[in-house]
Amino acid sequence: MAPNPRKRRETLAFYLSISPWLIGFCLLTLAPMLLSLYASFTDWDLLTAPVWVGGENYRQMLDDPRFIQSLKVTAIYTLIYVPFDLVGGLILAMLVRARLRGSSVFRTIFYLPTVFSGVAFVVVWMWMLNPRAGLVNLLLAEFGINGPRWLQDPNLALLSLVLMSFWGWGRSMVIFLAGLLSIPGELYEAASIDGASAWIQFWRLTIPLLTPTIFFNLVLSVIMTFQTFTSAFVATDGGPLDSTLFLVLYIYRQAFQFFNMGYAAALAWVLFLIIMILTLLLFRSQPFWVFYLGEGNNQ
Amino acid sequence: MKNIFRLFVVLTLASLILTACQSTSATTVATEAVSEGGVTVIRAGTGDGGEGLTPHQQIIQNFEDQNPNILVQLEAVSGRDYYARLLTQLAAKAAPDIMQIGDDAVPSFVEKGAFIPLDECIKQNNLDTSIYLPGLLDPGKVNGKQYLLPKDYSPLGVYYNKKLFDAAGVTYPKEDWTWDDLLATAQQLTKDENGDGVPEVWGIQLPATWTTGFEYWIGAAGGKLISEDGKKYIGYMDSPEVIRAVQFYADLYNKYKVAPPPADLNQFGGGNSEFDNGAAAMRLFGRWPQSGLKTNPNIDLGVAPPPQDKQRANVLFWGGFGIASTSKTPEIVCKFLTYYAAEPGAQVWKDWALPAVTSVAESSGQTTDPIEGVWIGELNHLVPRAYTFTPYWNETADPALRKVLETVLLDPGADVSAVVKQAAQEAQDALDKLNK
Amino acid sequence: MNQETAYEPEIFRLRGWRKWLRYTLLVILSVIFLAPVFWMISSSLKPEYQIFAIPPIWLPDPPRWANYQEALTSLPFGRFAINTLIIALGTVIGHLISCSIVAYGFARLQAPGKDFLFILLLSTLMLPYPVTMVPLYIIFSNLGWVNSFSPLIVPAFFGNAFYIFLLRQAFKQIPTELEDAAHMDGANFLQILRYVILPISTPALATVAIFSFQAAWNDFLAPLIFLHDQSKYTLQLGLSFFRGSYTVNWAYIMATSLVITLPVIVIFFLFQKAFIEGIGFTGTKL
């Protein structure tokens, strides 16, 4: 098949269009990625030169109970957090989407918690979850319930962090909002003329057209949540009893507290592979449920 | 919308231009500073923050006044992130000339060649090393050679609130008091008037799961955490003395309930605030919060040494400055270092913390002060900290010890002996892997 | 779920109980979402030892406004603010420009290797920063860019996977008729992007602007390692100084955090309108 000039032009246009990113990638991202990959095969304490040890770091991982623990912690957290984030964000977006008086105030209110940077907000949360004087337990006490020890309970610490994360729904809310607002109005009009009820409109119109946004939030949520760091670092430092030992926290510790940069890099690359595989799976699933308005088939 | 966008673009272009001007002018200043008139710039890295920077800045100011050809650029990062930046800079061979590190990082850094030995420097600047209070040079020594000089330090002490003692009619702690005295005193002070199970006044606020601070308890009980050769935890970490220490500590919390439960396990010291609020009569900790405590209206402050058990013991927490091996101007840095760590620097420090130089401590009256004198006196009862025996303390014993404390504090029914033995085994396994 | 689906098409007016139900829900949720913020405000006005008092003190009495003055003057926060503003604005512009172009390429153009490149793009999000920052520092150190804003702003002009992905999703949803028409009229790639696509993508662009600004404003790790001397520090770095190695001044942290966050809130509030005005361009009323 002879390459036709139109295709060639398009290919050229494509590579030109992504050149800013591509150049930046080669200069600023590829090098660190490769360097860290190299580091993962070495013993490197950051103070002296790296020493090649082959696959030793990777072998060591299998023996490392903390690594297994951190995988568990991160996986569980992600599995719980992501669905809640998607549903919560969507509900909030639906509630504030209306172009009514006060909507912008509510939007700002819901977005507000995500605007504060890590430390201060997490600290406030830690205080709210304080077993004896925190807001949460005081409220529970009103109902006669003896509140648990939250962040200090090895069985509940992780869930406490999940609870904390709910206040971050504002972020996915904003994205869903953008998605909701770009669904053309005439589709709704046509649907209602055809007699579809609000319920039907939601499920057969809104949701399908929202799938690109859902997909986006899902993929990014998975990628980002696997790399949770700040809340664990500030609130619990991985404890109690390693029940909140997130993988990136463990990586940070290995690199900057134990001087094991090589091992940390190896851990990071394992994390990378896990996220990559999950993302690829999600992408593969696209044809089954994601529907782009700008392309082809209608429903 | 268009207007917002336009405004945006204008603002950004303006700021980009500003940046361009800024960075060029900054680099010009730097190069000029170095080349013109032979002014040297030395970079000093420190992990202090907030007001903790003021003494540094003051000392730097004094030094620069006396040495107009030298500029000291203070690069400060507060808290735990300091090491992240420092290590990154070291990896890129772009570290500051003079670096501050904490005591437990000294062996690793020195062994990896990050610092130069200071004997030359000390000789050249005629630094008399006997000017220091006892025990303050040791954390900066590795294999007998001095690599760092002291910046600040603190042993442990027991703060007590005279108001609460007086109200309960209890005598103040004596200098040679024992663990049993501590328990008795705490019990007398703990009051739960309304019987709801939560005392209005607690006997003593303890620092929860703080691992390195716990070494005091072990030392006082006559125990050790690790063998002299740094290879064995078994036989030491699980010894009867250690078990006794852990048991006593846990009992204070769970059995006798004289200590309030930890508020925040991640915060240094447990995050409790009972003592601050006048709800606890005593507090075991270092000297760091003292200035705040002195001005706290709820507290009439006194300080006592930590009680003894089998022996008197205390542990020292220390920060020091050393010269980076990558420094291009070690002699000049040395001049600053010796200025800083000797009497001139100590004169500034005495207003902020305990000075390291004996003469300054004496002349400022601190050695005889009823409160400061206690801290200084504790320097005579120090036991070596476990990290001095192995470079792998952080990775092996520290997590194990932390686990022990977390378990026994959170679970009143835990079998202390079993928990300790298990921890010792875990630490040993980890250590063996690293030592092989 | 009924009450929510009733609101979503604007054609349906909210009447009676549904409207009130929605408002009630919103108010309840607002209280919940604002509770931590309320606590921050309350804490920022207390003398230090009252912050963690048991039983908790809800409203400080009297409120210690001096906290704000003391906190903000203890360090040159004005300078920090300017620094942070420069970095944030530079970053946002960089992202908006570069990410639109790249995203459009990914959304509409076909070429061999495109899928692989897109996965590669996403993969840049998957390596945790603590690991890449050391090699990055070495690179920038060799370029002589450390201790300047360049390592923080320049990369934005090369795109960012998150925003590229977001814009790609948005662009893909636009019906191709408009672009086809423009093509017929002889417009090229950049022209179509500028005159056809971007004007109707304001919700997505506004989202990118908000997130990008916020991320740059709140960034801690990158400024931490790339900025050495204090005159270049950002607000977040300044804030971290209240967390000393041994004692923490929570009142100051709360007060400063609140003040620092105001610009981001303002930006969000302003750009929200961009969402709404953007609707007008997608055809008819929603």
Side-chain angles (χ1 to χ4, degrees):
Chain A
M1 188 165 64
N4 63 57
R6 171 122 201 270
K7 258 207 155 149
R8 243 206 307 244
R9 246 182 302 140
E10 196 171 344
T11 309
L12 186 61
F14 173 73
Y15 279 96
L16 266 178
S17 72
I18 67 165
S19 58
W21 172 73
L22 206 50
I23 297 175
F25 176 77
C26 293
L27 294 177
L28 295 174
T29 316
L30 191 58
M33 282 175 88
L34 290 176
L35 260 165
S36 65
L37 185 58
Y38 167 69
S40 74
F41 292 105
T42 68
D43 205 347
W44 188 19
D45 55 23
L46 291 172
L47 297 169
T48 55
V51 173
W52 183 267
V53 291
E56 182 56 36
N57 288 331
Y58 291 97
R59 260 190 297 266
Q60 203 181 322
M61 248 188 262
L62 300 172
D63 256 343
D64 182 356
R66 286 226 160 75
F67 168 62
I68 312 285
Q69 171 71 6
S70 65
L71 269 183
K72 249 200 315 182
V73 168
T74 316
I76 294 178
Y77 181 78
T78 310
L79 264 161
I80 304 180
Y81 172 82
V82 171
F84 271 107
D85 181 51
L86 289 178
V87 173
L90 183 56
I91 294 182
L92 287 180
M94 299 279 278
L95 281 174
V96 300
R97 197 270 230 157
R99 238 194 313 166
L100 297 178
R101 226 184 347 217
S103 269
S104 43
V105 173
F106 284 114
R107 287 176 196 168
T108 314
I109 291 180
F110 293 142
Y111 190 64
L112 201 55
T114 68
V115 146
F116 290 99
S117 67
V119 182
F121 202 69
V122 177
V123 168
V124 168
W125 259 106
M126 285 159 67
W127 182 238
M128 308 232 308
L129 289 176
N130 183 291
R132 271 188 311 124
L135 193 53
V136 178
N137 274 7
L138 285 177
L139 270 176
L140 288 177
E142 293 289 317
F143 293 96
I145 308 177
N146 200 3
R149 301 188 57 115
W150 299 115
L151 288 168
Q152 295 178 21
D153 185 338
N155 298 321
L156 282 182
L158 192 56
L159 282 170
S160 309
L161 290 181
V162 173
L163 193 62
M164 240 193 249
S165 72
F166 286 175
W167 270 248
W169 284 348
R171 173 150 313 174
S172 56
M173 172 195 84
V174 166
I175 298 184
F176 275 127
L177 205 51
L180 280 176
L181 290 171
S182 25
I183 299 178
E186 55 261 356
L187 293 176
Y188 287 114
E189 220 171 350
S192 66
I193 290 176
D194 284 351
S197 72
W199 184 254
I200 304 253
Q201 286 189 25
F202 178 73
W203 284 107
R204 319 275 335 269
L205 190 55
T206 311
I207 292 281
L209 289 179
L210 211 51
T211 46
T213 318
I214 300 180
F215 179 71
F216 175 77
N217 265 340
L218 177 59
V219 171
L220 276 159
S221 206
V222 167
I223 294 180
M224 294 315 194
T225 314
F226 259 96
Q227 298 181 54
T228 307
F229 174 71
T230 310
S231 51
F233 188 59
V234 176
T236 57
D237 198 21
L241 299 182
D242 290 339
S243 60
T244 58
L245 185 64
F246 283 84
L247 189 46
V248 179
L249 178 59
Y250 191 47
I251 292 175
Y252 183 91
R253 231 186 240 183
Q254 285 287 349
F256 298 115
Q257 286 174 21
F258 300 163
F259 304 106
N260 283 337
M261 192 66 191
Y263 189 53
L267 289 169
W269 274 89
V270 169
L271 176 65
F272 177 85
L273 279 170
I274 296 177
I275 299 181
M276 177 65 94
I277 294 176
L278 284 172
T279 310
L280 284 172
L281 284 173
L282 282 172
F283 267 83
R284 274 294 160 77
S285 73
Q286 261 191 113
F288 293 106
W289 62 284
V290 182
F291 168 71
Y292 291 103
L293 187 57
E295 300 168 0
N297 42 10
N298 257 312
Q299 219 167 288
Chain B
M1 164 63 187
K2 278 231 170 73
N3 287 326
I4 299 183
F5 190 66
R6 277 202 207 118
L7 177 65
F8 208 62
V9 176
V10 169
L11 270 175
T12 316
L13 285 175
S15 43
L16 282 175
I17 297 176
L18 265 174
T19 326
C21 294
Q22 233 207 13
S23 24
T24 25
S25 64
T27 38
T28 346
V29 166
T31 28
E32 277 172 21
V34 174
S35 53
E36 244 177 53
V39 172
T40 329
V41 178
I42 53 179
R43 297 165 49 210
T46 173
D48 287 327
E51 317 146 331
L53 284 182
T54 319
H56 291 287
Q57 288 161 337
Q58 204 166 329
I59 299 177
I60 289 176
Q61 192 60 55
N62 296 347
F63 180 77
E64 286 178 349
D65 290 342
Q66 286 188 14
N67 297 278
N69 286 345
I70 307 181
L71 269 177
V72 181
Q73 181 178 301
L74 186 65
E75 300 180 0
V77 178
S78 185
R80 291 189 271 185
D81 309 301
Y82 174 62
Y83 281 113
R85 162 137 72 144
L86 192 61
L87 286 170
T88 308
Q89 291 178 324
L90 282 165
K93 310 266 182 274
D97 297 285
I98 177 173
M99 302 186 288
Q100 170 198 331
I101 58 175
D103 42 23
D104 50 0
V106 171
S108 330
F109 274 78
V110 168
E111 258 145 52
K112 300 190 207 265
F115 289 103
I116 62 175
L118 293 177
D119 357 25
E120 279 297 311
C121 174
I122 293 178
K123 241 195 328 201
Q124 268 174 7
N125 286 275
N126 295 321
L127 180 65
D128 179 4
T129 50
S130 65
I131 59 172
Y132 294 105
L133 290 164
L136 291 184
L137 280 178
D138 297 331
K141 279 201 187 121
V142 177
N143 294 331
K145 265 194 164 175
Q146 195 75 38
Y147 286 87
L148 283 98
L149 291 176
K151 170 180 91 65
D152 67 355
Y153 61 94
S154 173
L156 289 182
V158 176
Y159 297 103
Y160 60 92
N161 189 345
K162 292 185 188 163
K163 279 190 188 169
L164 293 174
F165 271 72
D166 295 340
V170 179
T171 41
Y172 304 152
K174 300 214 182 17
E175 199 197 319
D176 51 0
W177 62 326
T178 64
W179 281 11
D180 293 329
D181 294 333
L182 170 67
L183 179 57
T185 314
Q187 281 176 313
Q188 283 177 294
L189 290 158
T190 308
K191 290 204 186 335
D192 181 10
E193 315 243 297
N194 56 14
D196 63 353
V198 178
E200 290 78 48
V201 178
W202 296 87
I204 178 165
Q205 179 183 321
L206 294 170
T209 53
W210 184 27
T211 47
T212 39
F214 194 75
E215 292 193 58
Y216 143 71
W217 295 94
I218 298 177
K224 281 197 173 67
L225 278 171
I226 189 173
S227 62
E228 289 273 334
D229 62 4
K231 299 257 191 301
K232 291 202 99 18
Y233 288 117
I234 306 271
Y236 293 87
M237 200 188 257
D238 49 2
S239 63
E241 287 85 12
V242 172
I243 294 182
R244 168 172 164 71
V246 176
Q247 185 74 62
F248 187 77
Y249 192 72
D251 286 346
L252 287 173
Y253 275 101
N254 297 323
K255 183 164 165 205
Y256 304 111
K257 295 201 174 37
V258 296
D264 166 19
L265 288 179
N266 191 26
Q267 205 185 312
F268 182 64
N272 289 78
S273 53
E274 280 81 2
F275 188 73
D276 287 1
N277 292 319
M282 296 184 279
R283 180 179 181 191
L284 173 70
F285 205 49
R287 194 187 168 283
W288 311 294
Q290 186 172 283
S291 43
L293 293 177
K294 275 186 172 169
T295 56
N296 187 325
N298 297 329
I299 303 175
D300 181 7
L301 195 65
V303 176
Q308 54 186 316
D309 187 47
K310 209 155 167 202
Q311 61 183 12
R312 249 181 105 158
N314 209 323
V315 281
L316 186 67
F317 297 94
W318 182 98
F321 275 113
I323 304 179
S325 51
T326 49
S327 176
K328 302 210 170 47
T329 53
E331 309 82 33
I332 300 185
V333 181
C334 174
K335 213 169 175 200
F336 176 66
L337 177 61
T338 44
Y339 179 88
Y340 189 102
E343 219 220 316
Q347 281 291 355
V348 175
W349 272 109
K350 74 174 193 311
D351 299 321
W352 295 90
L354 291 170
V357 176
T358 320
S359 57
V360 176
E362 279 169 2
S363 62
S364 64
Q366 282 170 325
T367 33
T368 43
D369 179 271
I371 289 184
E372 308 291 13
V374 174
W375 297 109
I376 296 182
E378 283 306 291
L379 294 176
N380 295 313
H381 305 283
L382 300 174
V383 295
R385 284 183 43 200
Y387 80 84
T388 53
F389 297 106
T390 169
Y392 302 118
W393 163 259
N394 249 328
E395 296 165 73
T396 53
D398 193 272
L401 191 54
R402 184 175 165 198
K403 224 176 180 178
V404 168
L405 292 174
E406 279 176 354
T407 314
V408 304
L409 287 187
L410 295 174
D411 177 11
D415 177 354
V416 170
S417 177
V419 171
V420 170
K421 284 192 159 55
Q422 188 188 356
Q425 186 63 54
E426 279 175 18
Q428 187 69 50
D429 291 339
L431 187 63
D432 290 337
K433 267 194 224 157
L434 291 165
N435 263 333
K436 70 165 184 270
Chain C
M1 269 292 260
N2 257 328
Q3 63 277 20
E4 281 129 37
T5 57
Y7 309 139
E8 142 250 321
E10 226 102 85
I11 322 168
F12 279 39
R13 298 277 204 75
L14 297 175
R15 271 184 292 248
W17 67 276
R18 285 196 179 141
K19 177 160 138 193
W20 290 111
L21 185 55
R22 174 177 172 269
Y23 265 112
T24 319
L25 216 54
L26 281 174
V27 169
I28 295 178
L29 283 171
S30 297
V31 168
I32 297 179
F33 269 76
L34 282 180
V37 181
F38 163 74
W39 189 256
M40 281 180 83
I41 299 179
S42 158
S43 299
S44 71
L45 292 170
K46 293 179 187 157
E48 187 60 26
Y49 58 86
Q50 277 187 8
I51 292 190
F52 296 119
I54 295 176
I57 300 175
W58 296 111
L59 291 170
D61 172 35
R64 193 165 186 272
W65 297 101
N67 277 344
Y68 280 85
Q69 194 215 1
E70 284 168 20
L72 292 169
T73 52
S74 64
L75 288 168
F77 276 103
R79 168 100 249 163
F80 295 162
I82 297 181
N83 293 340
T84 318
L85 191 63
I86 294 175
I87 295 174
L89 286 178
T91 313
V92 172
I93 281 285
H95 280 146
L96 282 176
I97 298 178
S98 62
C99 295
S100 325
I101 301 177
V102 177
Y104 190 53
F106 271 116
R108 290 301 192 220
L109 298 177
Q110 294 305 318
K114 167 170 139 171
D115 289 336
F116 167 72
L117 282 172
F118 191 68
I119 297 294
L120 197 62
L121 171 76
L122 282 186
S123 74
T124 60
L125 293 173
M126 301 177 196
L127 258 188
Y129 199 64
V131 159
T132 50
M133 81 187 192
V134 175
L136 259 179
Y137 189 86
I138 298 180
I139 294 176
F140 282 123
S141 181
N142 286 326
L143 281 173
W145 282 6
V146 288
N147 205 25
S148 77
F149 294 155
S150 306
L152 300 166
I153 300 184
V154 171
F157 284 87
F158 291 103
N160 172 297
F162 183 94
Y163 308 128
I164 293 176
F165 189 17
L166 194 157
L167 289 175
R168 176 234 196 215
Q169 295 301 94
F171 293 161
K172 265 172 111 76
Q173 292 181 65
I174 302 173
T176 49
E177 290 88 41
L178 293 167
E179 295 153 77
D180 293 339
H183 238 300
M184 299 288 188
D185 290 348
N188 69 26
F189 175 87
L190 279 177
Q191 286 168 331
I192 299 185
L193 179 61
R194 162 105 166 76
Y195 294 109
V196 177
I197 301 293
L198 287 186
I200 61 178
S201 305
T202 28
L205 287 173
T207 314
V208 170
I210 294 175
F211 284 163
S212 175
F213 185 84
Q214 186 180 320
W217 192 261
N218 283 343
D219 194 5
F220 178 72
L221 265 188
L224 173 76
I225 64 165
F226 288 119
L227 299 173
H228 295 172
D229 77 75
Q230 211 169 301
S231 66
K232 304 212 170 80
Y233 274 12
T234 60
L235 290 167
Q236 286 300 321
L237 286 182
L239 182 63
S240 75
F241 276 126
F242 294 132
R243 278 183 294 146
S245 326
Y246 297 113
T247 54
V248 186
N249 198 324
W250 295 114
Y252 288 0
I253 291 185
M254 297 298 161
T256 317
S257 295
L258 285 165
V259 171
I260 292 180
T261 313
L262 281 175
V264 185
I265 302 179
V266 166
I267 297 263
F268 179 77
F269 203 75
L270 287 178
F271 273 75
Q272 268 198 79
K273 305 218 173 128
F275 277 154
I276 313 228
E277 284 179 48
I279 296 170
F281 290 96
T282 53
T284 59
K285 58 179 161 72
L286 270 180

